[in-house]
Amino acid sequence: MNAERDLSPLTPGVVRALTDKLYEKRKVAALEIEKLVREFVAQNNTSQIKHVIQILSQEFALSQHPHSRKGGLIGLAACSIALGKDSGLYLKELIEPVLTCFNDADSRLRYYACEALYNIVKVARGSVLPHFNVLFDGLSKLAADPDPNVKSGSELLDRLLKDIVTESNQFDLVGFIPLLRERIYSNNQYARQFIISWILVLESVPDINLLDYLPEILDGLFQILGDNSKEIRKMCEVALGEFLKEIKKNPSSVKFAEMANILVIHCQAADDLIQLTAMCWMREFIQLAGRVMLPYSSGILTAVLPCLSYDDRKKNIKEVANVCNQSLMKLVIPEDDEMDEAKPSMTIPTEPTSEESLSKPESVTTGESQVAHEELSQLQSLPVGAEPSGATGQWYTMWLGAVWLQVNLVLPATSWGLLSPLVLYLSQCAGIWYLLPPDPLCVDLESKAHSAPSLSPQVILKDLELLAEIASSPAGQTEEGHGPSDGSDVRPGPVELHVPARAGQLSSSSTKGLECSPSTPTMNSYFYKFMINLLKRFSSERKLLETRGAFIIRQLCLLLNAENIFHSMADILLREEDLKFASTMVHTLNTILLTSSELFQLRNQLKDLKTPESRNLFCCLYRSWCHNPVTTVSLCFLTQNYKHAYDLIQKFGDLEVTVDFLTEVDKLVQLIECPIFTYLRLQLLDVKNNPYLIKALYGLLMLLPQSSAFQLLSHRLQCVPNPELMQTTDNTKPSTGFKRTAASNIDYTELLQHFEKVQNKHLEARHQRAGRAEQLDRRVVL
């Protein structure tokens, strides 16, 4: 190579010195280059300046020889010093070869590249900002360099660049954000520290509004918050704290919706610091953004509710999660505020109170917040059964579907917290009912909640509240008063059911409205299907019936109407093919009817049979109660049908008397001694007007073996005065009870025939079961 020809205007001596292995000789050559470039600047000879930079770049900095690369780097730095304020015109040519050397395998050469770039940037100052991204990219690599000298040099360059950015008002934040979003996911702790330091600097510059681009980097920040280094975690915590302060100062400019799902994800993080920080952010978002957060409520609840069951080791997270839960619930509770008297059924969400307005600036209720507010208002003001349309219907359909999905996914120990706000929504929004399909969604929820063996009563109560809201929905009423429309559930004939009282409209301390029979005879398809599904669940899970059955039915009698519960269950059991389950279920219902305080009003209604409704209910119950002979007799005792009870007991001689049968008779005797049947025991004093009561009790006595129950009933009957008066003649004056029975127009002969028919079915079923068992035994022997 002819150095003088190819590398001019550099002299052969300068060329040799630049490639020397000694730093001092390369430095002398750099001074010569600086002097040469200054002359070109004075002459305004730009072409020669570019030629010199090109030679230093191509022939030296990018050379294969390491000493030549070192000479090229110091030569480019010398050019920049010589150019001074004019170096900005040649920054691209000066910077690119230096940045290439950042990737060199030789640590000494990487250090010299860092030193050269420091000198270039120091001279150019603000002129380097258009090239900030490439400089940042190179520095982010050097920040993780294993060589301490290289790291030290990069830190000096980094501080210089930060000073330049802080002083300037021309920083291109829009162009920088994509690079920051990419590099923020680095796993190297030094690179993470470098990223966080830059975020803190940019956040501190008044002219740079990093808050607008927070959704782009928030996820990465939370991931860095989980770094193993305490120093990095602390830096990231400070950065997030600064952002949160800025959000509180300027909530109107915050993109809450774009960050909601990010917070939901990190609220479920395994790292305690990440989870607590994200939960604190979520608390502030709910309080500041208000209704903007409603479309994300299902995800928020999914993240928040499991935290409510944390112990003292995570007390802080639990407390913040509870605040989030309560704050979210407040968003869905419409308050009574100057309601239009002409439209008492319309429920409109009120404006925030004066206390809430401090944390919910008026400017926040714009854009998405205003849309959410209007949509919720429209839903809550819809007439019952009306169908919301447009964006409102789509928004609420997605919300409800997501919440139902999360109900099935959330931990059983905390599901009641999710059900609480959902029940509030259901009780306040009339327009929701059109969203419910013909087959109620409560089946899966009921299955999940009730089947959990360790489920607390509080969870079941909240579950039942929600199911009661659906079952009592006016949208499920049919005009003709029939049950389900599908073929499998069609009922044999119209049966009167009353509109259940809405649980949300009654105070917890008063059940008067529930005890009284509503006057509108109609059928609610949701209610009837719910009863079918509940009995199916009891049939398939007998342990559930044993452990939780009575509790569930009693609570349903409070939440809905007790008469409706028993009327519908009796009607469904009348068509039950599993006779053994029907007998067990009837026995359970009978025990609840006779012993539960919740059924006091219903017992009083059945005791006298004064109204057509009570007589209709008795006949309905009787037909199903026939699945269990002893419960049938107890129902007759309850309704004071003593003659029919005596006729039934006479039929017991034709039945198969088993140990279970005698056990139930024993329990009935015990019940007769309870306060429920006080009136019956007092009627024993009036032997003349209650002869069949005494005959029925003696009939039970004759059925019993010599047991404690026999002795108990025997002692009771010995207390009856004047036993001779037990005999009856045709001339005996009809008793008050007979008058009531005759006036009731109940065909007791038909009822007795129905009893015999049902018992024949049970007898035949027992014989079939016994035959199958015998066949199985034979197969085993063979």
Side-chain angles (χ1 to χ4, degrees), residues 450 457 460-461 464-465 468 511 514-515 530-531 534 538 544-563 565-566 569 585 588-600 602-603:
H450 291 170
I460 294 181
L461 284 175
L464 292 176
E465 279 186 45
T511 58
L514 290 173
E515 294 170 351
F530 168 50
M531 292 296 107
L534 184 60
F538 285 151
L544 173 64
L545 177 60
E546 295 173 6
T547 58
R548 300 288 195 182
F551 174 75
I552 291 172
I553 294 172
R554 286 167 52 200
Q555 294 305 317
L556 284 174
C557 289
L558 286 177
L559 294 168
L560 297 168
N561 182 272
E563 180 181 347
I565 298 293
F566 275 78
M569 283 191 171
M585 192 68 219
T588 302
L589 290 173
N590 187 69
T591 303
I592 296 171
L593 176 64
L594 295 180
T595 60
S596 299
S597 59
E598 293 86 353
L599 278 298
F600 173 78
L602 187 60
R603 283 195 297 272

Side-chain angles (χ1 to χ4, degrees), residues 281-557:
W281 276 61
M282 184 66 76
R283 176 191 61 195
E284 299 299 331
F285 272 37
I286 295 173
Q287 294 176 354
L288 293 172
R291 298 186 182 276
V292 171
M293 303 300 289
L294 283 179
Y296 307 94
S297 54
S298 63
I300 296 172
L301 290 170
T302 303
V304 167
L305 296 176
C307 302
L308 300 180
S309 60
Y310 284 172
D311 53 24
D312 291 340
R313 289 176 297 179
K314 296 185 177 182
K315 183 179 180 181
N316 293 338
I317 299 175
K318 180 179 180 179
E319 291 176 352
V320 179
N322 186 55
V323 174
C324 290
N325 188 38
Q326 297 298 324
S327 299
L328 192 62
M329 289 177 65
K330 290 180 181 179
L331 297 179
V332 301
I333 300 179
E335 302 172 0
D336 298 329
D337 183 25
E338 300 180 1
M339 299 297 292
D340 187 356
E341 295 180 0
K343 299 179 181 179
S345 63
M346 183 179 294
T347 306
I348 303 175
T350 61
E351 295 298 324
T353 61
S354 58
E355 182 179 347
E356 292 174 336
S357 62
L358 295 176
S359 59
K360 297 181 182 179
E362 186 174 340
S363 56
V364 175
T365 58
T366 58
E368 294 180 354
S369 176
Q370 185 65 27
V371 171
H373 184 280
E374 293 173 357
E375 289 171 346
L376 185 60
S377 300
Q378 179 184 341
L379 276 166
Q380 291 175 320
S381 62
L382 281 173
V384 172
E387 179 175 338
S389 59
T392 300
Q394 295 175 3
W395 172 79
Y396 205 78
T397 301
M398 289 188 294
W399 183 89
L400 182 65
V403 170
W404 273 109
L405 176 62
Q406 298 306 329
V407 166
N408 289 316
L409 296 178
V410 77
L411 294 176
T414 58
S415 60
W416 66 268
L418 178 54
L419 294 172
S420 297
L422 186 54
V423 167
L424 290 172
Y425 256 124
L426 294 177
S427 62
Q428 300 295 342
C429 300
I432 189 178
W433 299 114
Y434 93 99
L435 296 171
L436 294 175
D439 189 15
L441 291 171
C442 61
V443 180
D444 290 338
L445 172 61
E446 174 193 333
S447 170
K448 181 177 181 63
H450 291 170
S451 299
S454 61
L455 211 58
S456 68
Q458 186 182 26
V459 178
I460 294 181
L461 284 175
K462 289 297 180 181
D463 183 9
L464 292 176
E465 279 186 45
L466 179 55
L467 297 174
E469 285 292 339
I470 296 175
S472 60
S473 164
Q477 297 173 5
T478 61
E479 296 180 359
E480 299 179 359
H482 292 281
S485 58
D486 56 298
S488 61
D489 293 332
V490 173
R491 309 175 67 191
V495 178
E496 291 185 353
L497 282 184
H498 304 302
V499 178
R502 293 289 296 274
Q505 297 172 348
L506 299 173
S507 64
S508 60
S509 61
S510 174
T511 58
K512 183 177 180 181
L514 290 173
E515 294 170 351
C516 301
S517 296
S519 59
T520 307
T522 185
M523 171 62 73
N524 183 303
S525 61
Y526 297 146
F527 171 79
Y528 192 74
K529 284 196 172 186
F530 168 50
M531 292 296 107
I532 292 175
N533 290 323
L534 184 60
L535 288 176
K536 284 181 179 178
R537 186 63 56 188
F538 285 151
S539 178
S540 61
E541 299 181 23
R542 300 298 173 86
K543 187 171 181 62
L544 173 64
L545 177 60
E546 295 173 6
T547 58
R548 300 288 195 182
F551 174 75
I552 291 172
I553 294 172
R554 286 167 52 200
Q555 294 305 317
L556 284 174
C557 289

Side-chain angles (χ1 to χ4, degrees), residues 23-69:
Y23 172 76
E24 294 299 329
K25 291 186 177 181
R26 293 197 302 270
K27 186 175 181 181
V28 171
L31 294 175
E32 291 295 326
I33 292 172
E34 180 182 345
K35 180 179 178 181
L36 179 63
V37 173
R38 287 185 187 276
E39 292 176 359
F40 290 147
V41 171
Q43 299 169 6
N44 197 23
N45 191 345
T46 57
S47 60
Q48 284 293 76
I49 296 174
K50 290 182 178 180
H51 187 54
V52 171
I53 295 175
Q54 184 180 9
I55 292 173
L56 292 172
S57 173
Q58 299 296 326
E59 302 296 334
F60 290 91
L62 301 179
S63 171
Q64 296 298 321
H65 195 277
H67 298 311
S68 295
R69 292 200 295 274

